[in-house]
């Protein structure tokens, strides 16, 4: 239900002027999903975020929930949330080790995507916006 709500009424939809905002584009060829993340980092905090793109309900609702979860947050907290979400999707860290859930990092609505982990093909849909966010963070 939460997933459908975010799919039908995506949060923080649109664009930001670049610069000052950073922009990154992600593509999931397996499903045809496309996500564009516009990110304005101000004083080590996400000042604003906008999401564009098109694709399946999982990819678009995941990006919508992500934008809601990171807006106004310090970049360090955003990185911790990305890590927590990847862990929930059973994606290993850069060294190939499983990511242990950090109980201090709250997922909120994002927990609705937990069931996706049972469908490996859909994990790529769910994670697309997050990988695109990491790229935008590198540029910000
Ligand atoms: Zn998809």
């Amino acid at each position: 239900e939460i997933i459908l709500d975010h799919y039908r009424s995506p949060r923080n939809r649109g664009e930001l002027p670049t610069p000052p905002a950073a922009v990154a584009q992600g593509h999931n060829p397996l499903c045809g999903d496309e996500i564009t993340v516009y990110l304005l980092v101000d004083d080590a905090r996400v000042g604003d975020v906008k999401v564009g793109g098109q694709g399946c309900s999982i990819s678009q609702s995941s990006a919508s929930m992500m934008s809601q979860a990171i807006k106004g947050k310090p970049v360090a907290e955003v990185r911790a949330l990305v890590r927590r979400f990847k862990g929930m999707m059973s994606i290993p860290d850069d060294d190939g080790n499983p990511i242990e859930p950090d109980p201090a990092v709250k997922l909120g609505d994002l927990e609705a995507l937990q069931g996706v982990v049972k469908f490996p093909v859909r994990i790529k849909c769910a994670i697309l916006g997050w990988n695109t966010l990491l790229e935008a963070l590198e540029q910000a």
Side-chain angles (χ1 to χ4, degrees), residues 28 31-33 55-59 122 125:
N28 170 21
C31 184
D33 306 316
C56 71
S57 57
I58 300 291
S59 66
R122 306 317 295 275
C125 302

Side-chain angles (χ1 to χ4, degrees), residues 47-131:
D48 205 357
V49 55
K50 295 278 185 199
V51 178
Q54 55 190 6
C56 71
S57 57
I58 300 291
S59 66
Q60 303 303 309
S61 61
S62 180
S64 170
M65 288 185 222
M66 175 192 82
S67 72
Q68 202 172 39
I70 67 168
K71 197 168 175 178
K73 293 272 165 62
V75 168
E77 268 182 45
V78 170
R79 288 193 181 277
L81 183 66
V82 173
R83 192 178 157 79
R84 178 81 168 83
F85 186 78
K86 285 193 170 185
M88 185 172 86
M89 290 293 132
S90 294
I91 293 170
D93 66 16
D94 292 342
D95 300 319
N97 300 314
I99 299 172
E100 295 298 328
D102 178 353
V105 180
K106 299 287 176 247
L107 286 166
D109 279 1
L110 289 161
E111 278 183 33
L113 290 165
Q114 202 153 24
V116 170
V117 77
K118 282 178 256 163
F119 308 96
V121 167
R122 306 317 295 275
I123 291 175
K124 290 203 185 326
C125 302
I127 206 73
L128 178 64
W130 298 79
N131 284 333

Side-chain angles (χ1 to χ4, degrees), residues 4 21 25 43 49 92 95 101 134 140:
L4 277 179
Q25 280 180 306
D43 206 12
V49 55
D95 300 319
L134 285 179

